[in-house]
């Protein structure tokens, strides 16, 4: 079962990864998003964050792969579609 402590951990990891992304600390944001994917594999936010970081670094193919994974986890994600539209 999904416990309150696991939900709090998910929220904390997500918030930290988003803060690092917003600060443009790409290396740390990539690490935290990768950790989030391992810890919470069914949550679309982490592959989408990793895709965003890789887009910012202009690493197109891996970014596309992670964005598509996020889209598989959350097929109605407008964010995923918008980010995929940025790939050249």
């Amino acid at each position: 079962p999904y416990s309150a402590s696991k939900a709090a951990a998910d929220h904390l990891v997500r918030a930290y990864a988003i803060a690092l992304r917003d600060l443009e600390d790409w290396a740390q944001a990539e690490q935290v998003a990768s950790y989030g994917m391992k810890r919470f594999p069914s949550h679309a936010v982490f592959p989408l964050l990793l895709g965003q970081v890789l887009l910012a670094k202009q690493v197109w193919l891996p970014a596309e792969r992670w964005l598509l994974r996020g889209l598989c986890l959350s097929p109605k994600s407008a964010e995923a579609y918008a980010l995929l539209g940025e790939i050249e």
Side-chain angles (χ1 to χ4, degrees), residues 10 13-14 17-18 21 29-55 59-75 77 79-80 83-84 87:
D10 166 39
V13 173
R14 181 182 335 166
I18 290 170
R21 179 206 59 201
E30 188 173 350
Q31 276 190 324
V32 174
S34 294
Y35 170 79
M37 285 189 309
K38 289 176 188 159
R39 180 85 192 258
F40 308 101
S42 64
H43 295 201
V45 67
F46 296 111
L48 292 177
L49 280 168
L50 187 54
Q52 285 179 317
V53 168
L54 294 171
L55 280 177
V59 184
W60 310 114
L61 290 177
E64 181 179 34
R65 181 177 60 136
W66 289 115
L67 293 171
L68 289 171
R69 180 171 177 191
L71 190 60
C72 286
L73 293 170
S74 182
S77 171
E79 180 182 22
L83 291 167
L84 283 165
I87 294 176

